[in-house]
Amino acid sequence: DIDAGVGAAAAAGLAKVGRGKCHVEFRAEDFLTCPLRRPPDNEPERFDAILCFSVTKWVHFAHGDAGVQKLFRRARRRLRPGGLFVVEPQEWSSYKKKRHLTPEIRQTVAGIEMRPAAFDDYLLGIGFERVATIAPPSDGPQGFRRSIRVFSAPAAAADADGGAGADGGPAEGGE
């Protein structure tokens, strides 16, 4: 998460319940711009799961279609074979409610062509496989009744080693 407070709260919650044999790390980073490499070897990081809850709208507001596409491509490249990408896109109607926050956001929203309804097709088009769609709860806050989509990176890592781009993934323009 880009918000350090959210990561600290998650780490504190995990400490209370214990993590067993799992390695879980919480960091405050901008996934679109951070290098995703860690010392000592600085090899590209790979993940078993990447979770994107309630963030796609804000990436869209800040970076337009190109930002959301970069988020999805980067998630695809950074997952281990069989790794899961879990995304909760906000509905287009919620964009309309917040588009007047700043003149920059209003201008960005006006230029959006890839609406949230097209995200699944885009994800499938870049090599993700659909695992499940979890229906939203019928109760709870109205603004959070959104489906959760689960995708996986293919088990065969055809792009894990070949044609490495700047972040260790396959070379692809515009990342």
Side-chain angles (χ1 to χ4, degrees), residues 36 44-48 77-80 159-161 167-169:
L36 294 174
E45 290 184 286
R46 301 284 183 224
F47 304 99
D48 295 314
R77 278 196 290 267
R78 291 311 186 147
L79 283 169
R80 289 187 177 99
D159 65 344
D161 298 314
D167 74 349

Side-chain angles (χ1 to χ4, degrees), residues 85-104:
F85 181 55
V86 183
V87 63
E88 176 201 35
Q90 292 96 324
E91 298 297 326
W92 181 248
S93 60
S94 75
Y95 283 58
K96 293 178 183 178
K97 292 177 187 174
K98 297 287 185 181
R99 71 177 179 243
H100 298 296
L101 288 175
T102 68
E104 294 82 12

Side-chain angles (χ1 to χ4, degrees), residues 60-80:
H60 234 161
F61 280 178
H63 305 285
D65 289 341
V68 171
Q69 292 167 355
K70 179 178 179 178
L71 169 70
F72 293 164
R73 287 191 317 270
R74 198 161 211 221
R76 170 66 184 86
R77 278 196 290 267
R78 291 311 186 147
L79 283 169
R80 289 187 177 99

Side-chain angles (χ1 to χ4, degrees), residues 8 16 28 51 55 104 122 165:
K16 286 182 184 176
L51 310 177
V55 299
E104 294 82 12
Y122 185 84

Side-chain angles (χ1 to χ4, degrees), residues 61 92 99 103-113 115:
F61 280 178
W92 181 248
R99 71 177 179 243
E104 294 82 12
I105 289 175
R106 187 171 34 256
Q107 182 178 0
T108 301
V109 171
I112 289 174
E113 294 180 11
R115 293 187 177 184

